Amino acid sequence: WSKALARTGCRNVCSSPSRLQSMSAWVIDQYGSSAVLRHTDEISIPTINFAHEVMIKVSAASLNPLDLNMRGGYGAALLNLRRDPLSVMNSFSEFPLILGRDLSGVVVDCGSGVTHFAPGDEVWAAIPPWKQGSLAEYVTLTEYEVSYKPKSLSHIEAASIPYVANTALSALVNAGGLCRETSSNKRVLITGASGGVGTFSIQLLKAWGAHVTVTCSQNAEGLVRGLGADEVVDYTAGDVAEQLERMERFDVILDNVGGDTEEWAMGLLKPWSGAKYVTLVSPLLLNTDSMGLLDGTLHAGLTLHNKAFQNITSSGVFYRWAFYAPDGPTLDEVSRLADAGKILPVVEAQFPFTQVPQAFHKLEQGHARGKTVVKVA
Ligand code: NDP
């Protein structure tokens, strides 16, 4: 996988600083409900400060549950440590904060050390949560976080993919131990498969040849089957664990739902055969927010250790937490799969830049069927 991702080619590019001073963006100045979202034309353009940075004019962005959570202050303790490791800035220095983790757009400027991109390149990226987001005209990222946008997708379509793709790949590859070469004989269960991460994961796993079972609501069955799901379990039609227990055991479970899922899901894995339960819903950031960085991290670490130890010793299955990881080269491979027609964008709703609060409202209602995208320019 990593070999396939190796980036080739080297291009000399210019480094012309932008002459623009300010840009249009949606910001928050404090944590809270959607009332804290504010549009402004007076946010400083994120200039290039390091040799390997690229400045991107954003064409489209998309929203993730993380945007809702971050708007309310979720993860602030850990994210602020990452933004300002030496704590030299004042508290609340993260404001005005720009949300939005996905972008599709065009490179407008490059640092002197950038070798892979040039102004005019169409790119996509998933922006790490400690950086300023894509609900803005411009974003600056390192070239390692950026990838060429699939040529076959519009900016709106492309913006629906990067964050869920980086998350799903981190979960399935790094935590789940799956890859293109070894997935063909694997049985994978995806819970919460009708949302952003799930709809991407189904397609990736089918492209890799895995057998995919999913859980979702009855009215999402057509969507997930259309994306390739082999077996669909309606979690609203009675006891979901009971329905799944009637099936052959799984090699990997990707849990997008959390809550009590792990209580019944561990027993669905093949015992003593390297099977893995991977959840994207962990208490790490909630712990660091409520207990402070040290206690929160220790508490989360202990929880993870205890659960992993208990499961490996009792049934030989691995218990793991997974997290989004920024990774431009991984998106290169996703771009190839998208251009080959193996990954389709699932855009459920699209909003103009003037209606970002409405886009948040849509997300807040839940029941996502793919992604909510914002057309920025
Ligand atoms: P979405 O909101 O896009 O999708 C969630 C989906 O789950 C919806 O389609 C919802 O539809 C469905 N769902 C809700 N309850 C159940 C249930 N009990 N059983 C089956 N399906 C259910 O979220 P994402 O796909 O973007 O993310 C999934 C989870 O992963 C979220 O909790 C998110 O916060 C987390 N995440 C964590 C990351 C990390 O770094 N750790 C990164 C990215 C995401 P309906 O309610 O209609 O059934």
Side-chain angles (χ1 to χ4, degrees):
W1 176 253
S2 57
K3 258 192 194 163
L5 296 178
R7 286 174 159 182
T8 54
C10 189
R11 299 161 62 182
N12 286 322
V13 294
C14 67
S15 172
S16 59
S18 171
R19 270 169 270 129
L20 298 168
Q21 298 295 314
S22 60
M23 66 173 183
S24 173
W26 283 89
V27 300
I28 62 170
D29 304 301
Q30 60 181 307
Y31 297 118
S33 68
S34 66
V36 299
L37 286 164
R38 172 174 71 90
H39 179 261
T40 172
D41 288 319
E42 290 167 2
I43 284 290
S44 301
I45 294 253
T47 49
I48 290 177
N49 292 320
F50 298 98
H52 288 283
E53 286 183 334
V54 293
M55 187 194 285
I56 300 158
K57 184 163 181 14
V58 181
S59 299
S62 81
L63 297 184
N64 292 277
L66 181 64
D67 292 304
L68 276 183
N69 296 337
M70 279 178 66
R71 194 193 65 197
Y74 171 79
L78 208 55
L79 295 176
N80 281 341
L81 179 73
R82 183 66 199 251
R83 291 179 187 119
D84 180 19
L86 302 176
S87 298
V88 290
M89 311 284 280
N90 300 327
S91 358
F92 308 117
S93 62
E94 70 266 39
F95 301 120
L97 183 66
I98 305 173
L99 302 171
R101 306 271 58 93
D102 295 284
L103 72 79
S104 181
V106 179
V107 174
V108 292
D109 201 0
C110 298
S112 57
V114 171
T115 56
H116 198 63
F117 299 100
D121 285 345
E122 292 198 321
V123 294
W124 62 349
I127 305 171
W130 52 89
K131 292 193 170 181
Q132 289 289 49
S134 55
L135 293 173
E137 273 184 284
Y138 296 93
V139 167
T140 293
L141 294 170
T142 70
E143 64 173 325
Y144 314 111
E145 291 159 340
V146 176
S147 161
Y148 291 110
K149 161 190 163 293
K151 288 188 173 34
S152 58
L153 302 187
S154 68
H155 284 297
I156 292 282
E157 292 170 328
S160 68
I161 293 176
Y163 187 77
V164 294
N166 275 161
T167 300
L169 279 150
S170 165
L172 294 170
V173 177
N174 302 339
L178 296 170
C179 67
R180 185 173 45 192
E181 289 77 19
T182 60
S183 295
S184 59
N185 57 350
K186 295 289 193 298
R187 285 179 53 78
V188 184
L189 169 66
I190 305 172
T191 66
S194 46
V197 176
T199 51
F200 175 84
S201 302
I202 295 169
Q203 299 184 78
L204 181 75
L205 289 165
K206 290 313 295 175
W208 288 351
H211 182 279
V212 179
T213 301
V214 305
T215 70
C216 62
S217 302
Q218 193 272 330
N219 66 8
E221 176 165 358
L223 170 68
V224 295
R225 280 210 191 274
L227 296 173
D230 297 292
E231 294 184 73
V232 180
V233 171
D234 172 10
Y235 78 93
T236 64
D239 189 332
V240 66
E242 210 175 277
Q243 298 178 67
L244 288 163
E245 271 160 16
R246 291 198 283 267
M247 296 179 175
E248 199 186 317
R249 294 284 176 264
F250 298 95
D251 296 287
V252 174
I253 296 177
L254 173 61
D255 183 10
N256 294 301
V257 173
D260 69 352
T261 306
E262 64 188 51
E263 286 164 28
W264 49 261
M266 304 305 299
L268 301 172
L269 288 164
K270 294 176 183 170
W272 306 107
S273 62
K276 296 168 188 78
Y277 166 85
V278 179
T279 182
L280 282 167
V281 188
S282 86
L284 174 62
L285 294 185
L286 286 176
N287 282 2
T288 52
D289 285 338
S290 63
M291 300 177 198
L293 285 172
L294 190 60
D295 285 357
T297 309
L298 283 175
H299 192 270
L302 205 62
T303 304
L304 177 61
H305 172 269
N306 289 344
K307 290 185 178 189
F309 182 77
Q310 185 195 336
N311 283 294
I312 197 73
T313 51
S314 63
S315 52
V317 299
F318 292 92
Y319 173 94
R320 291 180 175 166
W321 292 349
F323 301 92
Y324 150 83
D327 191 345
T330 290
L331 288 179
D332 290 349
E333 176 61 10
V334 177
S335 194
R336 282 190 280 275
L337 287 170
D339 279 335
K342 296 191 169 167
I343 299 282
L344 301 175
V346 186
V347 178
E348 180 187 17
Q350 182 184 323
F351 291 85
F353 198 49
T354 50
Q355 290 182 11
V356 165
Q358 287 87 333
F360 271 82
H361 181 64
K362 157 77 185 76
L363 208 67
E364 234 154 2
Q365 289 173 321
H367 309 298
R369 299 289 177 263
K371 295 298 301 286
T372 293
V373 180
V374 174
K375 186 175 187 302
V376 177

